[in-house]
């Protein structure tokens, strides 16, 4: 394994994970369009299940935005003649991977919202580590359930482990920058 293999694995790993990085930002935009909350305003043990920040429009808008981004990435790779779409694999399999990455990211965020409500944190309250990695964990868990071989080959095997390490290291900063942008654009009430 040389430096070039590591660099290629890192760039490819980031490229392939982009469909998981978009959904939560897109969910904020689409969520403003929907009034129906995922928990329908219901509580569990005296606290909201997810809270007002989680709507059906955000869930589906965010999830399908990630899939659309992935299809665009697949189109770009096809233009350059990549037979495996730069790592997504055969077409129908890659659509499944895109759905798992995208909706896994959304479900990871929903899980974090559920946990935050259980420990008494209000909507928008800081939860370091949980806020930055909820979507990463959700995307990897869901994709690992349905496509374990792809996750292993893309993020664990050989030089590809460096792609996973890189993602974990930079995700904190990427998440922070995107939240500041959303806050300044008036899409978020807090810059974290």
């Amino acid at each position: 394994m040389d430096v070039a293999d590591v660099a290629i694995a890192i760039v490819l790993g980031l490229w392939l994970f982009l469909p998981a990085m978009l959904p939560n930002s897109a969910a904020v935009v689409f969520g403003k369009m929907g009034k129906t909350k995922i928990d329908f305003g219901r509580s569990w043990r005296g606290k909201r299940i997810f809270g007002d920040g989680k709507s059906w429009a955000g869930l589906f808008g965010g999830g399908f935005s990630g899939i659309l981004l992935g299809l665009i990435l697949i189109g770009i790779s096809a233009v350059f003649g990549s037979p495996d779409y730069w790592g997504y694999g055969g077409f129908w399999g890659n659509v499944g991977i895109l759905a798992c990455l995208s909706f896994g990211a959304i479900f990871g965020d929903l899980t974090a919202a559920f946990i935050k409500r259980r420990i008494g944190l209000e909507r928008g309250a800081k939860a370091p580590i949980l806020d930055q990695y909820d979507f990463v964990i959700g995307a990897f868990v869901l994709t690992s359930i349905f496509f374990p071989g792809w996750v292993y080959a893309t993020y664990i095997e050989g030089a590809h482990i460096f792609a996973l390490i890189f993602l974990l290291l930079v995700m904190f900063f990427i998440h922070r920058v995107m939240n500041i942008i959303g806050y300044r654009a008036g899409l978020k009430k807090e810059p974290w």
Side-chain angles (χ1 to χ4, degrees):
M1 165 178 4
D2 61 10
V3 175
D5 291 337
V6 171
I8 290 168
I10 288 172
V11 170
L12 185 62
L14 184 61
W15 171 270
L16 294 171
F17 200 70
L18 288 174
M21 294 168 64
L22 176 65
N24 287 331
S25 297
V28 171
V29 175
F30 284 101
K32 301 222 182 270
M33 298 177 200
K35 303 239 185 274
T36 306
K37 304 307 174 195
I38 293 174
D39 63 11
F40 298 104
R42 293 195 173 111
S43 296
W44 184 60
R45 296 188 178 189
K47 298 175 184 168
R48 284 289 298 276
I49 297 171
F50 298 115
D52 284 335
K54 308 300 177 198
S55 71
W56 289 103
L59 184 144
F60 288 110
F64 286 118
S65 293
I67 293 171
L68 179 61
L69 173 60
L71 292 173
I72 291 168
L73 298 176
I74 288 168
I76 292 169
S77 66
V79 167
F80 288 97
S82 174
D84 72 344
Y85 303 106
W86 286 341
Y88 284 116
F91 184 77
W92 290 113
N94 65 38
V95 170
I97 290 167
L98 294 174
C100 288
L101 287 171
S102 299
F103 281 97
I106 294 287
F107 295 145
D109 186 60
L110 279 174
T111 302
F114 179 80
I115 291 168
K116 287 168 78 172
R117 298 303 90 78
R118 302 294 67 79
I119 61 176
L121 294 175
E122 294 299 319
R123 179 180 173 207
K126 278 187 182 183
I129 306 302
L130 184 60
D131 286 337
Q132 289 79 24
Y133 293 101
D134 57 357
F135 73 98
V136 176
I137 294 167
F140 276 121
V141 166
L142 190 61
T143 309
S144 293
I145 290 169
F146 292 100
F147 299 94
W150 182 84
V151 172
Y152 179 78
T154 308
Y155 292 102
I156 298 171
E157 185 178 44
H160 297 284
I161 191 71
F162 291 104
L164 178 61
I165 293 168
F166 178 78
L167 275 175
L168 294 176
L169 292 174
V170 302
M171 207 51 65
F172 181 86
F173 302 104
I174 291 172
H175 183 270
R176 182 79 175 124
V177 167
M178 294 309 294
N179 281 332
I180 290 170
I181 291 169
Y183 175 73
R184 291 195 176 158
L187 298 171
K188 293 183 60 86
K189 293 180 181 177
E190 308 83 12
W192 53 79

